[in-house]
Amino acid sequence: MDLGLKGKNVLITGAAKGIGRRIALAAASEGANIALHYRESEEAAGETAKEISEYGVKVSLVKGDIARLEDVRQMKETLDQELESVVDFIVNNAGWTQMKSFFKYEPEEWKREVDVCFYGVLNLVHTFMPEMIGKNQGKFINIIGDSARTGDRNLIVSAAARSGTISFLKSLAQDVGRNNVQCNTVSLGLIDQGALGFNEATMDKLIKQYPLKRLGKVDDVTAMILFLLSESTEWITGQVVSVNGGHSMLG
């Protein structure tokens, strides 16, 4: 099935490894040119870029902190030169979180989570979306955890910040829909990337919370992202799409 991604320029943040890496490779396999963003994982980003290039598509590495508007603007300048065209689609996979009770935070500690998880989205949109609007085509997909909708006492700050991005993208979708730009959120349950670090008893308890009796796989996420990037979803915007094995079933 042709997803209509051939020749499209797709910026994927946090794409050096993990879920972001797999999304980048999957999009490249469909013929998309990849703007591969990373912040610290330079070696892993280089290795991923080499794999992407084997698909015969363009790949551009961009380093930066999405929480800093000046970094995001520099990313755009680099991509304007290297891709020789505008970014068509963005998948924001970058994030930063701490797992602890709110009352174990020092006041200065929560700012980083809010800056990355909330302001990072605003920075990307403000920098890249005007060209999507001008071209009358574009897609912005933000990846979050289900804690943003259900709450989690150990992910309290990042959950709050990401909940804010849901409202932001819903409102933005109303604004830019007239320009054929789509804004959607993909909300994830617990994804097993091979390094969860839980003992067997804890894993059993976790799995029992999922009606489908397993944790998520990276391919479960990749499939949804490719679907939303594809030409088959031109009438979907302002939505929160769950990939969570039935862990939460919010209307």
Side-chain angles (χ1 to χ4, degrees):
M1 179 180 177
D2 184 3
L3 300 180
L5 294 181
K6 187 173 183 180
K8 298 293 186 182
N9 296 328
V10 184
L11 167 60
I12 303 166
T13 65
K17 50 190 176 180
I19 292 173
R21 172 183 175 276
R22 293 281 283 274
I23 293 170
L25 288 168
S29 73
E30 294 291 333
N33 302 315
I34 305 298
L36 193 156
H37 161 267
Y38 68 99
R39 187 172 73 91
E40 293 180 338
S41 305
E42 185 170 358
E43 183 177 351
E47 292 173 356
T48 300
K50 287 180 181 178
E51 291 186 59
I52 290 170
S53 65
E54 293 176 2
Y55 288 104
V57 300
K58 293 180 182 178
V59 56
S60 177
L61 284 170
V62 282
K63 180 179 180 179
D65 182 352
I66 67 167
R68 292 168 49 87
L69 181 57
E70 54 267 42
D71 281 21
V72 177
R73 287 173 172 169
Q74 182 57 56
M75 286 163 52
K76 184 180 183 303
E77 289 182 17
T78 299
L79 294 176
D80 285 346
Q81 295 175 8
E82 295 190 2
L83 294 179
E84 300 177 347
S85 182
V86 301
V87 169
D88 297 293
F89 307 146
I90 295 176
V91 179
N92 181 43
N93 174 65
W96 196 81
T97 189
Q98 300 177 82
M99 292 191 67
K100 57 184 177 181
S101 164
F102 181 69
F103 299 103
K104 292 183 179 179
Y105 278 83
E106 293 298 326
E108 67 274 8
E109 283 188 297
W110 60 65
K111 185 177 185 300
R112 177 64 181 164
E113 286 179 78
V114 176
D115 284 350
V116 175
C117 296
F118 182 73
Y119 287 107
V121 173
L122 272 62
N123 290 338
L124 289 166
V125 167
H126 196 270
T127 302
F128 286 95
M129 194 166 287
E131 287 188 343
M132 295 181 185
I133 293 170
K135 193 177 179 181
N136 210 47
Q137 182 187 43
K139 299 190 180 196
F140 189 100
I141 300 170
N142 191 41
I143 299 175
I144 65 171
D146 260 357
S147 59
R149 299 191 302 153
T150 64
D152 189 311
R153 64 187 179 89
N154 290 316
L155 295 169
I156 189 166
V157 175
S158 61
R162 285 167 166 159
S163 180
T165 66
I166 294 175
S167 298
F168 172 70
L169 288 179
K170 284 179 177 290
S171 298
L172 186 67
Q174 294 179 20
D175 187 20
V176 301
R178 72 195 76 181
N179 301 107
N180 198 35
V181 178
Q182 299 162 254
C183 307
N184 290 297
T185 300
V186 174
S187 183
L188 306 181
L190 187 57
I191 306 300
D192 186 355
Q193 300 185 59
L196 291 175
F198 298 126
N199 59 38
E200 186 175 348
T202 300
M203 283 291 288
D204 286 343
K205 289 180 181 178
L206 287 170
I207 289 171
K208 287 178 181 178
Q209 298 175 26
Y210 290 82
L212 293 180
K213 299 304 178 186
R214 68 171 175 85
L215 301 184
K217 301 175 183 176
V218 175
D219 286 347
D220 295 324
V221 183
T222 301
M224 179 55 70
I225 298 298
L226 287 186
F227 175 62
L228 289 174
L229 290 175
S230 76
E231 292 179 341
S232 299
T233 56
E234 297 296 308
W235 209 47
I236 297 176
T237 196
Q239 303 303 309
V240 180
V241 182
S242 296
V243 181
N244 65 12
H247 182 268
S248 61
M249 301 183 184
L250 303 178

Short mmCIF file of all heavy atoms in Angstrom, two decimals, residues 13 37 39 64-72 92 94-98 105 107-125 142 157-162 165:
data_model
loop_
_atom_site.label_atom_id
_atom_site.label_comp_id
_atom_site.label_asym_id
_atom_site.label_seq_id
_atom_site.Cartn_x
_atom_site.Cartn_y
_atom_site.Cartn_z
N THR A 13 11.61 14.45 15.92
CA THR A 13 12.45 14.83 17.05
C THR A 13 12.71 13.63 17.96
O THR A 13 11.92 12.69 18.01
CB THR A 13 11.80 15.95 17.88
OG1 THR A 13 10.59 15.47 18.48
CG2 THR A 13 11.47 17.16 17.01
N HIS A 37 16.34 14.63 14.30
CA HIS A 37 16.75 15.51 15.39
C HIS A 37 17.26 14.70 16.58
O HIS A 37 16.74 13.64 16.90
CB HIS A 37 15.56 16.37 15.85
CG HIS A 37 15.75 16.95 17.22
ND1 HIS A 37 15.28 16.31 18.35
CD2 HIS A 37 16.38 18.06 17.65
CE1 HIS A 37 15.60 17.02 19.42
NE2 HIS A 37 16.26 18.09 19.03
N ARG A 39 19.48 15.57 20.62
CA ARG A 39 20.05 16.59 21.50
C ARG A 39 21.43 16.20 22.02
O ARG A 39 22.35 16.99 21.98
CB ARG A 39 19.11 16.88 22.68
CG ARG A 39 19.58 18.06 23.55
CD ARG A 39 18.53 18.44 24.58
NE ARG A 39 18.44 17.47 25.66
CZ ARG A 39 19.15 17.54 26.79
NH1 ARG A 39 20.00 18.53 26.99
NH2 ARG A 39 18.98 16.64 27.74
N GLY A 64 19.80 19.94 18.67
CA GLY A 64 19.24 21.09 19.35
C GLY A 64 18.35 20.71 20.51
O GLY A 64 17.92 19.56 20.64
N ASP A 65 18.08 21.68 21.35
CA ASP A 65 17.19 21.52 22.49
C ASP A 65 15.86 22.18 22.11
O ASP A 65 15.80 23.41 21.96
CB ASP A 65 17.81 22.21 23.71
CG ASP A 65 16.99 22.06 24.96
OD1 ASP A 65 15.84 21.56 24.89
OD2 ASP A 65 17.48 22.46 26.04
N ILE A 66 14.81 21.40 21.94
CA ILE A 66 13.55 21.99 21.48
C ILE A 66 12.95 22.93 22.50
O ILE A 66 12.05 23.71 22.18
CB ILE A 66 12.52 20.90 21.07
CG1 ILE A 66 12.05 20.09 22.28
CG2 ILE A 66 13.06 20.03 19.96
CD1 ILE A 66 10.82 19.24 21.98
N ALA A 67 13.44 22.88 23.74
CA ALA A 67 12.95 23.80 24.76
C ALA A 67 13.49 25.22 24.55
O ALA A 67 12.98 26.17 25.13
CB ALA A 67 13.36 23.32 26.16
N ARG A 68 14.49 25.35 23.69
CA ARG A 68 15.10 26.65 23.40
C ARG A 68 14.68 27.10 22.00
O ARG A 68 15.03 26.46 21.01
CB ARG A 68 16.62 26.56 23.50
CG ARG A 68 17.15 26.31 24.90
CD ARG A 68 18.62 25.93 24.88
NE ARG A 68 19.42 26.86 24.06
CZ ARG A 68 19.96 27.99 24.53
NH1 ARG A 68 19.78 28.34 25.80
NH2 ARG A 68 20.68 28.77 23.75
N LEU A 69 13.94 28.21 21.93
CA LEU A 69 13.45 28.69 20.64
C LEU A 69 14.59 28.97 19.68
O LEU A 69 14.49 28.67 18.48
CB LEU A 69 12.62 29.95 20.84
CG LEU A 69 12.00 30.58 19.58
CD1 LEU A 69 11.11 29.58 18.84
CD2 LEU A 69 11.22 31.83 19.95
N GLU A 70 15.72 29.49 20.18
CA GLU A 70 16.85 29.79 19.29
C GLU A 70 17.43 28.52 18.67
O GLU A 70 17.88 28.52 17.52
CB GLU A 70 17.93 30.57 20.02
CG GLU A 70 18.43 29.94 21.30
CD GLU A 70 17.71 30.42 22.55
OE1 GLU A 70 16.46 30.56 22.51
OE2 GLU A 70 18.40 30.65 23.57
N ASP A 71 17.41 27.41 19.43
CA ASP A 71 17.87 26.13 18.88
C ASP A 71 16.95 25.66 17.77
O ASP A 71 17.41 25.15 16.73
CB ASP A 71 17.94 25.07 19.98
CG ASP A 71 19.16 25.19 20.86
OD1 ASP A 71 19.75 26.30 20.90
OD2 ASP A 71 19.53 24.20 21.52
N VAL A 72 15.65 25.78 17.98
CA VAL A 72 14.68 25.32 16.98
C VAL A 72 14.80 26.16 15.71
O VAL A 72 14.73 25.64 14.58
CB VAL A 72 13.25 25.37 17.54
CG1 VAL A 72 12.23 24.97 16.48
CG2 VAL A 72 13.13 24.44 18.75
N ASN A 92 6.72 14.94 16.74
CA ASN A 92 7.46 15.31 17.94
C ASN A 92 7.47 14.15 18.93
O ASN A 92 6.48 13.87 19.60
CB ASN A 92 6.85 16.55 18.61
CG ASN A 92 7.64 16.94 19.84
OD1 ASN A 92 8.87 16.93 19.83
ND2 ASN A 92 6.95 17.25 20.92
N ALA A 94 10.24 13.95 21.09
CA ALA A 94 11.13 14.37 22.17
C ALA A 94 10.35 14.61 23.45
O ALA A 94 9.21 15.07 23.43
CB ALA A 94 11.88 15.64 21.75
N GLY A 95 10.99 14.32 24.54
CA GLY A 95 10.36 14.55 25.85
C GLY A 95 11.39 14.43 26.95
O GLY A 95 12.53 14.00 26.73
N TRP A 96 10.99 14.83 28.14
CA TRP A 96 11.87 14.72 29.30
C TRP A 96 11.01 14.65 30.54
O TRP A 96 10.10 15.46 30.72
CB TRP A 96 12.82 15.92 29.38
CG TRP A 96 13.98 15.70 30.30
CD1 TRP A 96 15.13 15.04 30.01
CD2 TRP A 96 14.10 16.15 31.65
NE1 TRP A 96 15.97 15.04 31.10
CE2 TRP A 96 15.36 15.73 32.13
CE3 TRP A 96 13.27 16.86 32.51
CZ2 TRP A 96 15.81 15.98 33.42
CZ3 TRP A 96 13.71 17.13 33.80
CH2 TRP A 96 14.97 16.70 34.24
N THR A 97 11.28 13.67 31.38
CA THR A 97 10.42 13.49 32.56
C THR A 97 11.20 12.93 33.72
O THR A 97 12.27 12.31 33.53
CB THR A 97 9.23 12.56 32.23
OG1 THR A 97 8.31 12.57 33.30
CG2 THR A 97 9.70 11.14 31.96
N GLN A 98 10.68 13.15 34.90
CA GLN A 98 11.21 12.55 36.12
C GLN A 98 10.09 11.76 36.79
O GLN A 98 8.95 12.21 36.82
CB GLN A 98 11.71 13.63 37.09
CG GLN A 98 12.81 14.50 36.53
CD GLN A 98 13.22 15.59 37.49
OE1 GLN A 98 14.01 15.38 38.40
NE2 GLN A 98 12.68 16.78 37.29
N TYR A 105 10.10 17.08 44.57
CA TYR A 105 10.76 18.04 43.68
C TYR A 105 11.30 19.22 44.48
O TYR A 105 10.69 19.66 45.46
CB TYR A 105 9.76 18.62 42.68
CG TYR A 105 9.48 17.78 41.46
CD1 TYR A 105 8.55 16.75 41.49
CD2 TYR A 105 10.10 18.07 40.25
CE1 TYR A 105 8.27 16.00 40.37
CE2 TYR A 105 9.82 17.34 39.12
CZ TYR A 105 8.91 16.31 39.17
OH TYR A 105 8.63 15.58 38.05
N PRO A 107 11.77 23.25 43.78
CA PRO A 107 11.03 24.14 42.87
C PRO A 107 11.67 24.35 41.51
O PRO A 107 10.97 24.45 40.50
CB PRO A 107 10.95 25.45 43.66
CG PRO A 107 10.95 25.02 45.08
CD PRO A 107 11.87 23.84 45.13
N GLU A 108 13.01 24.39 41.44
CA GLU A 108 13.66 24.63 40.15
C GLU A 108 13.68 23.40 39.26
O GLU A 108 13.99 23.49 38.07
CB GLU A 108 15.09 25.14 40.37
CG GLU A 108 16.06 24.13 40.98
CD GLU A 108 16.02 24.08 42.50
OE1 GLU A 108 15.13 24.74 43.09
OE2 GLU A 108 16.87 23.39 43.09
N GLU A 109 13.32 22.24 39.82
CA GLU A 109 13.45 21.00 39.06
C GLU A 109 12.35 20.81 38.02
O GLU A 109 12.55 20.13 37.01
CB GLU A 109 13.42 19.80 40.02
CG GLU A 109 14.70 19.57 40.76
CD GLU A 109 14.68 18.26 41.52
OE1 GLU A 109 13.84 18.11 42.43
OE2 GLU A 109 15.49 17.38 41.19
N TRP A 110 11.16 21.34 38.24
CA TRP A 110 10.06 21.04 37.33
C TRP A 110 10.09 21.87 36.05
O TRP A 110 9.43 21.54 35.07
CB TRP A 110 8.70 21.16 38.02
CG TRP A 110 8.36 22.50 38.60
CD1 TRP A 110 8.17 23.66 37.92
CD2 TRP A 110 8.15 22.80 39.98
NE1 TRP A 110 7.85 24.67 38.79
CE2 TRP A 110 7.82 24.17 40.07
CE3 TRP A 110 8.17 22.04 41.15
CZ2 TRP A 110 7.54 24.80 41.28
CZ3 TRP A 110 7.89 22.67 42.35
CH2 TRP A 110 7.58 24.03 42.41
N LYS A 111 10.86 22.94 36.04
CA LYS A 111 10.87 23.83 34.88
C LYS A 111 11.33 23.11 33.61
O LYS A 111 10.78 23.32 32.53
CB LYS A 111 11.78 25.03 35.14
CG LYS A 111 11.76 26.08 34.01
CD LYS A 111 12.60 27.28 34.37
CE LYS A 111 12.49 28.36 33.30
NZ LYS A 111 12.92 27.91 31.96
N ARG A 112 12.34 22.26 33.73
CA ARG A 112 12.87 21.56 32.56
C ARG A 112 11.79 20.69 31.91
O ARG A 112 11.68 20.64 30.68
CB ARG A 112 14.07 20.69 32.97
CG ARG A 112 14.67 19.86 31.84
CD ARG A 112 15.26 20.71 30.76
NE ARG A 112 15.80 19.90 29.67
CZ ARG A 112 16.09 20.37 28.48
NH1 ARG A 112 15.92 21.65 28.19
NH2 ARG A 112 16.56 19.57 27.55
N GLU A 113 11.00 20.01 32.69
CA GLU A 113 9.95 19.16 32.14
C GLU A 113 8.91 19.98 31.38
O GLU A 113 8.48 19.62 30.29
CB GLU A 113 9.29 18.34 33.25
CG GLU A 113 10.17 17.22 33.74
CD GLU A 113 9.50 16.44 34.86
OE1 GLU A 113 8.62 15.61 34.56
OE2 GLU A 113 9.88 16.65 36.03
N VAL A 114 8.50 21.09 31.97
CA VAL A 114 7.52 21.96 31.32
C VAL A 114 8.12 22.56 30.05
O VAL A 114 7.46 22.63 29.00
CB VAL A 114 7.04 23.07 32.27
CG1 VAL A 114 6.10 24.03 31.56
CG2 VAL A 114 6.35 22.46 33.49
N ASP A 115 9.38 22.97 30.11
CA ASP A 115 10.02 23.60 28.95
C ASP A 115 10.09 22.64 27.76
O ASP A 115 9.84 23.03 26.62
CB ASP A 115 11.43 24.06 29.32
CG ASP A 115 11.43 25.33 30.15
OD1 ASP A 115 10.35 25.95 30.28
OD2 ASP A 115 12.49 25.70 30.67
N VAL A 116 10.44 21.39 28.01
CA VAL A 116 10.56 20.42 26.92
C VAL A 116 9.19 19.93 26.45
O VAL A 116 8.88 19.96 25.26
CB VAL A 116 11.44 19.21 27.34
CG1 VAL A 116 11.44 18.15 26.23
CG2 VAL A 116 12.85 19.66 27.64
N CYS A 117 8.38 19.50 27.40
CA CYS A 117 7.13 18.82 27.04
C CYS A 117 6.04 19.77 26.56
O CYS A 117 5.19 19.38 25.75
CB CYS A 117 6.61 18.01 28.22
SG CYS A 117 7.71 16.66 28.72
N PHE A 118 6.05 21.02 27.03
CA PHE A 118 5.04 21.99 26.59
C PHE A 118 5.62 23.04 25.65
O PHE A 118 5.24 23.13 24.49
CB PHE A 118 4.38 22.66 27.79
CG PHE A 118 3.30 23.63 27.39
CD1 PHE A 118 2.07 23.16 26.92
CD2 PHE A 118 3.49 25.00 27.46
CE1 PHE A 118 1.07 24.05 26.52
CE2 PHE A 118 2.50 25.90 27.07
CZ PHE A 118 1.29 25.42 26.60
N TYR A 119 6.59 23.79 26.14
CA TYR A 119 7.13 24.87 25.30
C TYR A 119 7.87 24.34 24.08
O TYR A 119 7.94 25.02 23.04
CB TYR A 119 8.03 25.78 26.12
CG TYR A 119 7.26 26.67 27.07
CD1 TYR A 119 7.25 26.43 28.44
CD2 TYR A 119 6.50 27.73 26.58
CE1 TYR A 119 6.53 27.21 29.30
CE2 TYR A 119 5.77 28.53 27.44
CZ TYR A 119 5.78 28.27 28.80
OH TYR A 119 5.05 29.06 29.65
N GLY A 120 8.40 23.12 24.16
CA GLY A 120 9.03 22.51 22.99
C GLY A 120 8.06 22.39 21.82
O GLY A 120 8.41 22.65 20.67
N VAL A 121 6.82 22.02 22.12
CA VAL A 121 5.79 21.91 21.07
C VAL A 121 5.49 23.29 20.49
O VAL A 121 5.41 23.46 19.27
CB VAL A 121 4.52 21.26 21.64
CG1 VAL A 121 3.38 21.30 20.61
CG2 VAL A 121 4.80 19.81 22.04
N LEU A 122 5.34 24.29 21.36
CA LEU A 122 5.07 25.65 20.89
C LEU A 122 6.21 26.17 20.01
O LEU A 122 5.97 26.81 18.97
CB LEU A 122 4.84 26.59 22.07
CG LEU A 122 3.41 26.70 22.60
CD1 LEU A 122 2.91 25.36 23.14
CD2 LEU A 122 3.31 27.76 23.70
N ASN A 123 7.44 25.88 20.41
CA ASN A 123 8.59 26.33 19.64
C ASN A 123 8.62 25.71 18.24
O ASN A 123 8.90 26.40 17.25
CB ASN A 123 9.89 25.99 20.38
CG ASN A 123 10.07 26.82 21.64
OD1 ASN A 123 9.49 27.89 21.79
ND2 ASN A 123 10.88 26.32 22.56
N LEU A 124 8.35 24.42 18.16
CA LEU A 124 8.33 23.74 16.87
C LEU A 124 7.22 24.29 15.97
O LEU A 124 7.43 24.56 14.78
CB LEU A 124 8.15 22.24 17.06
CG LEU A 124 9.33 21.47 17.65
CD1 LEU A 124 8.90 20.08 18.10
CD2 LEU A 124 10.47 21.37 16.63
N VAL A 125 6.04 24.46 16.54
CA VAL A 125 4.90 24.95 15.76
C VAL A 125 5.16 26.37 15.27
O VAL A 125 4.96 26.68 14.09
CB VAL A 125 3.61 24.89 16.61
CG1 VAL A 125 2.50 25.68 15.93
CG2 VAL A 125 3.18 23.45 16.81
N ASN A 142 2.05 14.94 17.76
CA ASN A 142 2.74 15.00 19.05
C ASN A 142 2.52 13.70 19.80
O ASN A 142 1.38 13.26 19.98
CB ASN A 142 2.22 16.17 19.87
CG ASN A 142 3.08 16.45 21.08
OD1 ASN A 142 4.31 16.40 20.99
ND2 ASN A 142 2.47 16.74 22.21
N VAL A 157 4.41 16.20 36.77
CA VAL A 157 4.74 17.44 36.06
C VAL A 157 4.69 17.25 34.54
O VAL A 157 4.08 18.04 33.82
CB VAL A 157 6.12 17.98 36.50
CG1 VAL A 157 6.51 19.19 35.67
CG2 VAL A 157 6.10 18.35 37.98
N SER A 158 5.32 16.19 34.05
CA SER A 158 5.28 15.96 32.61
C SER A 158 3.86 15.68 32.13
O SER A 158 3.48 16.08 31.03
CB SER A 158 6.21 14.79 32.23
OG SER A 158 5.81 13.59 32.86
N ALA A 159 3.07 15.01 32.97
CA ALA A 159 1.67 14.75 32.61
C ALA A 159 0.90 16.07 32.46
O ALA A 159 0.13 16.25 31.52
CB ALA A 159 1.01 13.87 33.66
N ALA A 160 1.13 16.99 33.38
CA ALA A 160 0.46 18.28 33.31
C ALA A 160 0.89 19.05 32.07
O ALA A 160 0.06 19.65 31.37
CB ALA A 160 0.76 19.09 34.57
N ALA A 161 2.19 19.05 31.78
CA ALA A 161 2.70 19.77 30.62
C ALA A 161 2.15 19.20 29.32
O ALA A 161 1.72 19.93 28.42
CB ALA A 161 4.23 19.72 30.61
N ARG A 162 2.13 17.88 29.23
CA ARG A 162 1.64 17.25 28.00
C ARG A 162 0.13 17.37 27.87
O ARG A 162 -0.39 17.43 26.74
CB ARG A 162 2.08 15.78 27.98
CG ARG A 162 3.55 15.64 27.67
CD ARG A 162 4.09 14.27 27.93
NE ARG A 162 5.41 14.09 27.32
CZ ARG A 162 6.29 13.17 27.69
NH1 ARG A 162 5.98 12.34 28.68
NH2 ARG A 162 7.45 13.08 27.09
N THR A 165 -0.47 20.39 25.99
CA THR A 165 -0.28 20.31 24.53
C THR A 165 -1.51 19.73 23.83
O THR A 165 -1.75 20.05 22.66
CB THR A 165 0.95 19.45 24.17
OG1 THR A 165 0.74 18.09 24.56
CG2 THR A 165 2.21 19.99 24.83
#
